[in-house]
């Protein structure tokens, strides 16, 4: 047996290409919807930040600020709810008998 085959760095180097994105991969509709959801979440947070900065400098509309904050709150609450459901599902999987 060759001692080099037991090296952790060799194993890591061999597994590393598995973590890279396949350029020929075409996303499924579910993957596309999830990606769009993440992009919408990010856009909502960025727009709310811009409105907040504008309002703090005295140039913004207070009604726009309240609306942006409400949208951000809803987006964050939705993200937290989804995260909690994913964690619950993971915990259920861990409780399954082997």
């Amino acid at each position: 047996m060759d001692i080099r085959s037991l090296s952790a760095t060799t194993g890591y180097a061999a597994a590393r290409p598995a973590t890279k994105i396949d350029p020929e991969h075409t996303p499924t509709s579910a993957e596309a919807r999830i990606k769009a959801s993440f992009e919408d979440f990010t856009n909502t947070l960025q727009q709310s930040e811009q409105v907040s900065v504008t309002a703090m400098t005295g140039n913004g509309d207070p009604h726009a600020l309240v609306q942006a904050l409400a949208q951000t709150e809803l987006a964050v609450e939705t993200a937290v709810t989804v995260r909690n459901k994913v964690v619950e599902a993971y915990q259920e999987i861990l409780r399954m008998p082997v």
Side-chain angles (χ1 to χ4, degrees):
M1 175 183 253
D2 187 12
I3 191 71
R4 287 178 288 173
S5 65
L6 299 176
S7 173
T9 56
T10 307
Y12 177 73
R16 189 167 192 167
T19 61
K20 292 184 180 177
I21 296 175
D22 183 10
E24 297 177 8
H25 174 72
T26 55
T28 63
S29 63
E31 290 172 347
R33 287 192 308 261
I34 292 171
K35 181 180 178 185
S37 297
F38 287 137
E39 289 172 351
D40 289 344
F41 178 74
T42 304
N43 291 336
T44 300
L45 294 181
Q46 288 174 344
Q47 289 171 356
S48 295
E49 270 187 50
Q50 291 171 353
V51 170
S52 298
V53 168
T54 304
M56 282 189 268
T57 58
N59 300 328
D61 179 26
H63 297 289
L65 175 63
V66 171
Q67 184 179 8
L69 291 175
Q71 287 176 342
T72 301
E73 182 181 8
L74 181 63
V76 169
E77 286 176 358
T78 303
V80 168
T81 302
V82 169
R83 184 213 53 196
N84 289 344
K85 292 291 183 182
V86 169
V87 169
E88 287 176 21
Y90 179 73
Q91 289 174 341
E92 283 294 320
I93 291 170
L94 289 177
R95 285 188 211 115
M96 287 182 178
V98 182

